[in-house]
Amino acid sequence: MKKIFLLLILVFSLQAFLQGSSQIINGPYLQSITDNEAAVVWTNPILPMRDGAVERFMGKYYATGEATGGNIYSSKDLINWSKPVLGVTMHEATWLNDPKWAQSYTYNDFQAADLIYRNGVFHTYWNGVGHAYSPFPLGPYKEGSITEPFDDYGIDVQAFQDEDGEIYWVKKRNEGDPHPLTNEKSTIDGPELWIFRMVSPFTRWDITEGSVQLTNQRGHPTSVNHHNFEGPELAKYRGRYYLFYASNRMGPRSGMYQIGVAESDKPMNFDNSKKYPHPVLGRNTEQHLQEYKVILHSAEHGGWNAKYLILSPSGDWTGKSYDDNAWTTGQGGFGRQEYDLFAGTRFTNAKIRSRKTVWNSEKIFIRRRFSLKEIPQKIALKYWIFADAAFYINGNKINLNARNNTYGFLQLDPGLFVIGENIIAIEATSPCNNASCQQFIDFGLYDTGNRDAEDIVVGPAQPNFVVGPNGFERWMMYKAYFDNRQEQGIDRIHFYNKEVVVESSTVKNSTGFRRSPSLPELFLDFDKPDFTPLQLLHNSKWKISEGVLSPLEKKGGELLIREKDDTHYRFEMPFRLKSDAARAGVYAFYQDRKNWLKIDIGKDNTWQTTTCIEGVSEIKTMKLPDKFAFLENNSLVAHYEHPWHVFTIYKNANRFRVELDQFNLTLHGDIATPFSGRGHVGLLASSDEVDFDAVQYTAGWDEYDEYISGWQKKTGEWLVSGEGLTQLDPSVENATIFKGDPAWNYEFSTYFRNDRLPDKGEAGYYPLYVDEDNFVKASVDYATKAIVVEGKEEGRPIDKQFFPLQKKVLRHYTFSAHPSSVFQYDLRNESIISGIDILWFEGDYPYLEQTFDLPRTVRFFALQEGVWKLLDAELEGELKFSCLNKYSFPPVKTTAIKMVVENHSGKFSRAFSAWFTEDVTAGYFLRCRREHSALHLLVNDTYLGALNGNWSKSKVGLFTGNQQAVFNGMLFYELPETREKELQYEDLLNK
C-alpha cells in the first residue's frame, strides 16, 4: 500500500491523554503518522475452528463448526472468544445404518454448520443431515434428526430468514446427488448452489419450491483449478441480496480456494450472469508481488533453476566456490505429489502448481545461486517445506523442520547476505515414504522494504455475513490457512454503493488501516444494580436482579436512558414477556412530556405506536407478521418458557424503522414523524412480568437511495432520489451539505460517482466540520488527479496537501466463454488507465483442459464511445513467468480494457492477475474515522494517514466544486467512549 502521511502544526497534543494520561505537550510542533503502526490493532486468526457458523443475539456472538465437536464459542466483540461449551451431542439418531441414506457417515462429524434464532428457538444444522434445537444459544441442543436425516444430500447448509419472515434453505448440491425435489438421478457435471423456500425450520421434507441459483463455470475467474463450488451464504443489505460462495480446490497445496459473490434483487433470482467477475476475498500471495521486491521467486507461477542431487555430495557443497557442474539441473519446487490429495485417500485433478521436479527419494540436496547489487534492510524467506531441512545461506546454517502444506514467511538476518554472488544450499530429508507422503520443498526470497513480511493467507472460504457489535458495521467470518494454520478469521465488509468490497485478510504485519469491530456506544447488561444511566419516569420503581431489569410493581413502569440524546441512532432492546397480558416497548423518541413516540408489543400479536405531538396523542395498532411467533408453534418446543426477543429502533432524522428479531415491522414504509431533532430513548413495561437485558445504543445512520434523509443544505442544489443524493448544479463553486450531531469519535463513509469521468471540478467530503473556522475537507480534484486535503483550525488555514490518485487496481476479466483468447476487463467507473501489470498463468490446468504458456503476442484495446481503440502498449523488458510483466501506454479514458492474446500452438495464454494503472476514476469510496484528536482518512482501500488537531465536536458533510456528483450508501456511527473521558477532553480544550 502506498505510504503517505498528513502533517499539521499543532497548538498542543492530547495524544498522551488519549492513552490514559492527562499530560499535555505544549508548543507548536510537527507530528506525522506514516503507515501508522497503530492503524492495525488486531490480527487473524481469531478462533481455533473452521468451516463455521456464527449467530448474533442479545449483544453476543455464538460460533461453532468443524473441529469443535459440537462445542460453541461466545464473544461480545468478534475478537475475544470464550472457552467452548459443549452444546450439540450426536448420539440419538436411529437411521445411521439404514442404506437408504447415503450420507449417514457425515452425521457424527460436526462441521459445515449453521446457527439461526427464529421465533424463540435456536437451531443448528450440520453437514446437511443434522439438525438440533434449543431455547438457549449455548444449548444444550436436542437432536431433531432422530428417525431420518434433516436432508438427504448436499452440504454447506444455511437457513436464512429474510426481513419479511420468509425462511430459505440454502445448500450445495454435489454433481452425484439426485434432483433435490424430484429425486431423479443426477445429470449435472458439477456442483450447484440451490435455494429453497422453507415452511418450517424444523423440517426440510415439506419443501416444494426450490431452484438452482449458481453453478460452477469452468474458466470463470473464480473457477480455474477444480469444479468445487460450495459454502453458500445468503445475505441482504440495503435492499440487495448477496449469495457468497467458495470455489476451486479446497486444499492448501493447490492453494486457490477463494470467496466469490453474486448480487440480485430477490432471494431466489440469482444466475451465473450475476456473479462478480472477481473473488471478493482470496489469497494474499500475489499482492506481495506488488508490495515487495522479489529477489528469488517461488515456484507457484513458474519454476526456478537449481542444481540438485539425491545422493550425499562430497566436499564443501554448501559453499559458493563449490563446483556443482556434475549435479543435475532441474527446476524447483521439488516434491513427491503432482496432484492434491483429497481427504487423505484419493488424488484430485487439481495440480500442486509449485511442484516442478519429482522428489521421491529419502534425501535431496539443492543449490541455488543469485546476485545482489545491495543488501536490503529487511529480507524474508518465503518457504513451503514438508521435510526436515537445513538451509545454508552463504554457509550459515538455518534448520527448518516443518510439515507445512502451503507457504509461510521467515525474516532473515540481512547480515547473512553479501553484495555480489550468494548461494543458498539445502539438505532436506523426507519424513515419510508412503504413496501419499507430502514431502516438498520450495522457497523464494523477498526484499520487504522497512517492514517484516506479512503473514501468508491461503484458501479463504466458507463465508459468514455478520452484523458488527454496534449494529452498523458488516463483517465476514471465514476459514483460511493463516500462516499454515487452518482456522477462523474475520474481516470488514464495505459497500461501494451496492458493490461488496471485503478488506484483505488482516494478519501479522498487514499494512493499512484496520480497526477491530466497533462496540456499541452504550451497553447495559444489568450485571450490577446500577441505575446511574437510567432516569425513572412517573415515580415508577424498577429492580435489577439476576442480570435483568424489570419493574418492581404490577403497574409496570417507564424510564429513559439518560446518557444520550441524538438525532440519528440505533436502539436495541431485548425483552421477554412472562404473561399473556404483558406488553413491552420503547420510547423510540422522547423530547419532553408533550412530544414523544412510544412503540410497544404484546402477546395478542399486535404492536402499537403512540405519537404525542404537543400533548395530543394518536394510537395506531398493527398486527405482527403472520410468520412471527413469540414461540414456534411446534410440540417439540411447547415446554420452552418465556423466550427472549429483540426490539430494534433506527431513527434517521424524522423517520423510524422498527425491527422485531429479524422481522422488519416497517417493511412497507418507515414511520414518519415531525421529530427530526434530538431526543432520548427509553423502556416501557405494562407490568412486572416484563424483563429487559443487554440494552444497547449507538448514534448513527445507514442510508441509501431514496431513504437518504436529514441532510441540511448550505449551498448548491441537492436532490434525493433512487440514485442517492445528487448535487445537480455544476456552476456552484462550493456546494455543501451537512448532517449529524457534533461528536468526538465516529466513523463515516460514502461512495460518490459521476456517470462520465470529469476533466475538471472537485467532489469530496468534510470528514470534520465544526464551523467555517474549524474544518477539514478532502476532495478529488479531477484537474490535478489528486486528493486535496485542506481546512482550518481556529481560523488558521492548515497546509493544503495533494496526494496523487494513481494506484494499481486489481481487476478480473468478465467471463463470456471458455476457452478464450479475448479477455474483457470492465472497470468500476469510467477511468484513465495508463498501464497493466500482468502475472501470467503457467503450466498445466487439467480442470480447464489447458496448458498455459507465455503468449506469442499481446494486444490491448480501450472501449471509447462504443468503439474498441487499439493501444500502443510497450512491455518493460521481456515476457516472463513468476513476475509482473509491466505494460505501459499513453493514458486513455475508458470503461473497459480488452486483452487479445495470440497463443503458441497447442498452448493457451491468460492473465492470472492483472493490475491496472488507474490514474483517476469517476467514483471513489470516501471513509474517515475520528478518534478525538486523530482524524484518519481513507480513499477506497488506501490509508492516507492521520491528521491531528484540537478541534471540538464535529459533524460531517459532502461537497462538490463546479460539477455534479451522486453520493450514495452513507454510513455514520459514533464510537464508544466513557463520558468521564469525554468531559475531561472537553475541559482540556476549553482551557
Side-chain angles (χ1 to χ4, degrees):
M1 183 169 291
K2 198 169 185 179
K3 300 174 181 176
I4 50 186
F5 59 89
L6 304 174
L7 301 177
L8 175 66
I9 300 177
L10 303 179
V11 177
F12 58 86
S13 172
L14 295 174
Q15 286 297 91
F17 163 76
L18 295 176
Q19 298 169 357
S21 168
S22 59
Q23 178 183 3
I24 299 176
I25 302 173
N26 294 306
Y29 71 104
L30 291 175
Q31 183 179 17
S32 66
I33 299 181
T34 304
D35 200 11
N36 185 8
E37 294 292 339
V40 181
V41 297
W42 64 280
T43 58
N44 285 311
I46 54 146
L47 262 177
M49 69 172 212
R50 52 193 179 270
D51 209 350
V54 60
E55 179 76 348
R56 180 180 184 270
F57 185 72
M58 290 180 60
K60 284 189 176 181
Y61 296 88
Y62 301 91
T64 189
E66 186 180 350
T68 67
N71 282 274
I72 301 174
Y73 296 86
S74 63
S75 172
K76 290 184 177 180
D77 60 9
L78 285 173
I79 300 293
N80 302 289
W81 293 83
S82 69
K83 292 182 179 180
V85 174
L86 182 60
V88 185
T89 56
M90 297 150 282
H91 54 72
E92 294 186 64
T94 61
W95 53 272
L96 300 184
N97 294 321
D98 188 339
K100 175 183 178 181
W101 308 113
Q103 293 191 205
S104 60
Y105 68 94
T106 67
Y107 183 80
N108 290 317
D109 189 9
F110 190 88
Q111 59 182 357
D114 191 39
L115 282 170
I116 186 175
Y117 176 78
R118 177 179 169 90
N119 290 346
V121 183
F122 292 90
H123 300 265
T124 184
Y125 308 89
W126 66 95
N127 282 340
V129 298
H131 167 242
Y133 54 91
S134 174
F136 310 110
L138 289 174
Y141 283 77
K142 175 72 171 66
E143 287 178 75
S145 308
I146 296 177
T147 60
E148 62 182 2
F150 189 84
D151 203 345
D152 52 351
Y153 290 94
I155 197 171
D156 293 346
V157 297
Q158 179 201 14
F160 168 78
Q161 178 175 319
D162 204 349
E163 59 183 339
D164 63 358
E166 293 283 354
I167 50 175
Y168 299 89
W169 184 239
V170 187
K171 73 170 187 177
K172 168 193 178 182
R173 177 194 178 191
N174 288 303
E175 63 272 24
D177 296 347
H179 191 281
L181 295 178
T182 67
N183 208 36
E184 294 177 354
K185 186 177 180 180
S186 173
T187 59
I188 62 175
D189 63 356
E192 299 175 334
L193 302 186
W194 279 67
I195 297 180
F196 308 81
R197 193 184 304 274
M198 297 183 82
V199 179
S200 165
F202 284 90
T203 180
R204 167 260 191 265
W205 297 109
D206 56 2
I207 289 176
T208 60
E209 181 184 355
S211 58
V212 61
Q213 300 294 309
L214 299 175
T215 68
N216 74 305
Q217 290 177 281
R218 196 185 306 267
H220 188 278
T222 63
S223 297
V224 295
N225 82 334
H226 194 57
H227 68 215
N228 191 44
F229 191 72
E230 59 185 6
E233 173 82 357
L234 182 61
K236 185 179 185 180
Y237 184 65
R238 290 179 179 165
R240 301 291 290 174
Y241 294 87
Y242 301 89
L243 184 54
F244 297 89
Y245 59 86
S247 59
N248 287 324
R249 170 71 186 117
M250 68 179 71
R253 291 179 289 272
S254 53
M256 298 181 68
Y257 216 18
Q258 56 191 354
I259 297 172
V261 71
E263 180 184 334
S264 183
D265 60 339
K266 297 177 183 178
M268 295 179 65
N269 192 36
F270 290 92
D271 59 58
N272 285 339
S273 70
K274 297 176 181 179
K275 288 180 185 176
Y276 289 11
H278 55 277
V280 292
L281 187 62
R283 46 193 261 154
N284 63 1
T285 52
E286 281 70 41
Q287 185 60 36
H288 293 157
L289 299 179
Q290 284 284 357
E291 296 179 354
Y292 306 142
K293 295 179 181 178
V294 180
I295 301 171
L296 296 174
H297 66 79
S298 55
E300 68 248 74
H301 295 291
W304 41 269
N305 295 325
K307 294 283 191 174
Y308 74 97
L309 287 178
I310 59 174
L311 300 176
S312 297
S314 60
D316 183 18
W317 65 275
T318 66
K320 286 190 292 184
S321 61
Y322 180 80
D323 184 0
D324 56 17
N325 286 327
W327 288 36
T328 303
T329 299
Q331 283 208 323
F334 299 85
R336 180 185 290 263
Q337 309 301 345
E338 182 178 7
Y339 293 94
D340 197 5
L341 191 66
F342 174 75
T345 58
R346 60 185 174 87
F347 291 95
T348 69
N349 66 346
K351 297 196 74 170
I352 300 176
R353 296 178 298 118
S354 300
R355 185 268 215 177
K356 304 302 181 185
T357 300
V358 178
W359 167 40
N360 54 19
S361 59
E362 178 186 5
K363 282 184 174 290
I364 191 170
F365 300 85
I366 304 168
R367 286 173 54 85
R368 188 176 184 184
R369 299 176 185 270
F370 62 99
S371 294
L372 290 175
K373 293 182 179 180
E374 59 182 7
I375 307 300
Q377 182 181 348
K378 296 272 190 177
I379 298 181
L381 178 74
K382 179 182 178 181
Y383 68 94
W384 173 359
I385 297 173
F386 197 104
D388 295 329
F391 276 65
Y392 296 90
I393 302 175
N394 293 326
N396 299 285
K397 184 178 181 181
I398 298 175
N399 289 319
L400 282 175
N401 301 328
R403 304 294 183 267
N404 294 340
N405 289 304
T406 187
Y407 292 95
F409 270 123
L410 175 67
Q411 291 298 137
L412 298 177
D413 180 1
L416 298 173
F417 301 89
V418 298
I419 295 176
E421 184 180 85
N422 292 259
I423 181 73
I424 295 180
I426 304 168
E427 177 183 358
T429 304
S430 172
C432 47
N433 59 11
N434 57 310
S436 61
C437 178
Q438 296 299 318
Q439 64 190 73
F440 191 84
I441 189 162
D442 181 29
F443 72 95
L445 210 57
Y446 285 66
D447 173 355
T448 61
N450 62 355
R451 300 181 64 98
D452 288 348
E454 179 184 50
D455 277 1
I456 288 176
V457 181
V458 170
Q462 311 307 102
N464 297 122
F465 186 87
V466 187
V467 177
N470 69 358
F472 285 109
E473 295 177 345
R474 297 298 185 271
W475 290 77
M476 178 174 286
M477 179 177 278
Y478 60 97
K479 72 172 183 179
Y481 286 86
F482 299 98
D483 193 28
N484 269 286
R485 293 177 297 158
Q486 190 184 25
E487 294 186 337
Q488 206 78 357
I490 62 167
D491 275 290
R492 181 78 183 273
I493 299 175
H494 301 286
F495 288 83
Y496 291 16
N497 191 4
K498 304 297 194 310
E499 180 188 346
V500 173
V501 178
V502 184
E503 292 185 356
S504 61
S505 296
T506 302
V507 290
K508 182 180 177 182
N509 299 322
S510 291
T511 57
F513 184 82
R514 300 164 188 262
R515 286 293 188 257
S516 55
S518 295
L519 300 177
E521 274 192 281
L522 177 69
F523 189 91
L524 304 177
D525 56 14
F526 304 118
D527 288 342
K528 298 178 181 179
D530 181 10
F531 287 87
T532 304
L534 309 177
Q535 179 183 343
L536 309 186
L537 298 179
H538 313 308
N539 297 315
S540 61
K541 297 180 180 180
W542 294 73
K543 64 178 180 180
I544 298 175
S545 177
E546 298 180 350
V548 299
L549 170 72
S550 57
L552 194 58
E553 299 176 328
K554 290 185 178 181
K555 67 178 182 179
E558 300 181 357
L559 59 81
L560 298 177
I561 309 296
R562 70 166 77 241
E563 290 288 313
K564 294 283 291 180
D565 67 320
D566 293 292
T567 303
H568 322 278
Y569 48 78
R570 180 185 185 275
F571 178 41
E572 182 176 311
M573 180 224 32
F575 69 96
R576 66 180 174 190
L577 303 178
K578 296 187 290 184
S579 73
D580 290 343
R583 297 185 74 87
V586 297
Y587 272 109
F589 176 84
Y590 185 94
Q591 178 178 312
D592 53 42
R593 289 185 299 172
K594 294 185 177 182
N595 296 276
W596 42 259
L597 172 64
K598 293 180 183 180
I599 304 175
D600 64 87
I601 183 174
K603 283 194 172 181
D604 60 354
N605 288 322
T606 66
W607 66 289
Q608 288 185 335
T609 64
T610 306
T611 307
C612 183
I613 303 172
E614 297 300 330
V616 179
S617 298
E618 180 184 3
I619 300 175
K620 293 183 179 180
T621 302
M622 287 75 65
K623 288 185 177 181
L624 292 174
D626 291 339
K627 296 183 180 297
F628 172 81
F630 284 94
L631 180 62
E632 196 76 59
N633 183 22
N634 189 301
S635 60
L636 296 173
V637 298
H639 60 287
Y640 287 7
E641 293 185 356
H642 316 311
W644 287 88
H645 296 275
V646 180
F647 222 22
T648 306
I649 307 296
Y650 294 86
K651 180 181 185 291
N652 187 16
N654 68 327
R655 299 162 63 165
F656 294 81
R657 186 169 91 243
V658 184
E659 295 178 358
L660 176 59
D661 296 338
Q662 289 85 28
F663 294 81
N664 184 352
L665 301 186
T666 50
L667 186 61
H668 300 296
D670 294 343
I671 301 171
T673 72
F675 305 136
S676 59
R678 301 175 73 142
H680 287 275
V681 295
L683 305 178
L684 316 171
S686 66
S687 73
D688 58 354
E689 295 294 314
V690 180
D691 291 337
F692 300 96
D693 192 11
V695 173
Q696 57 179 275
Y697 175 98
T698 299
W701 68 84
D702 187 350
E703 58 187 4
Y704 64 98
D705 296 353
E706 66 269 25
Y707 305 106
I708 295 171
S709 179
W711 288 84
Q712 299 175 338
K713 181 187 76 171
K714 190 170 183 180
T715 54
E717 185 179 347
W718 298 84
L719 175 69
V720 173
S721 70
E723 297 296 314
L725 178 58
T726 305
Q727 202 293 110
L728 298 171
D729 189 349
S731 68
V732 179
E733 184 176 350
N734 188 37
T736 58
I737 193 168
F738 298 94
K739 183 171 178 176
D741 302 317
W744 292 120
N745 306 288
Y746 54 81
E747 181 166 313
F748 173 64
S749 60
T750 186
Y751 188 80
F752 86 86
R753 64 176 179 81
N754 287 274
D755 290 334
R756 302 296 300 269
L757 177 65
D759 295 320
K760 59 183 180 180
E762 298 175 88
Y765 71 147
Y766 286 84
L768 183 152
Y769 183 87
V770 181
D771 54 36
E772 288 300 302
D773 289 325
N774 295 274
F775 66 87
V776 174
K777 183 171 71 173
S779 58
V780 173
D781 186 331
Y782 282 99
T784 62
K785 300 180 180 62
I787 287 285
V788 182
V789 179
E790 56 188 317
K792 290 183 179 180
E793 183 184 18
E794 296 181 358
R796 296 186 298 273
I798 64 175
D799 290 340
K800 182 183 289 190
Q801 296 168 82
F802 297 81
F803 304 101
L805 284 164
Q806 187 184 84
K807 64 173 299 185
K808 301 289 186 179
V809 179
L810 179 65
R811 302 298 293 176
H812 291 72
Y813 84 96
T814 301
F815 181 81
S816 58
H818 172 76
S820 179
S821 59
V822 179
F823 305 92
Q824 179 173 325
Y825 293 83
D826 293 308
L827 306 177
R828 184 177 285 130
N829 299 287
E830 187 174 51
S831 308
I832 292 180
I833 305 297
S834 58
I836 307 175
D837 297 351
I838 292 180
L839 177 67
W840 294 103
F841 267 88
E842 180 268 345
D844 187 22
Y845 281 71
Y847 168 63
L848 297 180
E849 300 177 343
Q850 291 179 298
T851 298
F852 291 99
D853 197 354
L854 297 170
R856 184 188 297 274
T857 63
V858 184
R859 291 179 297 159
F860 297 99
F861 300 81
L863 184 61
Q864 293 183 313
E865 305 296 338
V867 177
W868 289 103
K869 176 185 176 182
L870 178 65
L871 299 177
D872 183 16
E874 182 177 347
L875 173 65
E876 179 184 305
E878 60 184 32
L879 284 173
K880 293 181 180 179
F881 287 124
S882 294
C883 64
L884 299 182
N885 294 263
K886 297 180 179 293
Y887 294 87
S888 60
F889 41 79
V892 58
K893 183 186 292 187
T894 183
T895 57
I897 297 289
K898 182 169 64 177
M899 180 178 73
V900 179
V901 298
E902 180 187 0
N903 299 317
H904 291 281
S905 177
K907 300 293 180 67
F908 297 86
S909 297
R910 171 177 166 178
F912 188 95
S913 301
W915 285 270
F916 290 75
T917 305
E918 178 189 272
D919 295 348
V920 65
T921 185
Y924 287 94
F925 182 67
L926 307 175
R927 181 180 166 211
C928 68
R929 188 176 178 106
R930 183 179 181 189
E931 297 170 339
H932 281 310
S933 66
L935 178 66
H936 301 273
L937 301 178
L938 300 95
V939 177
N940 288 353
D941 58 352
T942 300
Y943 177 53
L944 299 182
L947 197 64
N948 288 271
N950 63 330
W951 295 283
S952 60
K953 289 183 178 182
S954 57
K955 58 176 65 176
V956 297
L958 307 175
F959 156 81
T960 68
N962 295 119
Q963 72 169 237
Q964 295 180 341
V966 182
F967 296 82
N968 209 352
M970 290 81 153
L971 176 64
F972 176 97
Y973 53 85
E974 292 192 35
L975 305 173
E977 180 63 279
T978 64
R979 182 61 177 159
E980 179 183 5
K981 180 163 283 192
E982 282 195 352
L983 291 173
Q984 293 176 16
Y985 187 88
E986 191 169 18
D987 183 57
L988 285 169
L989 286 179
N990 291 335
K991 289 180 180 179

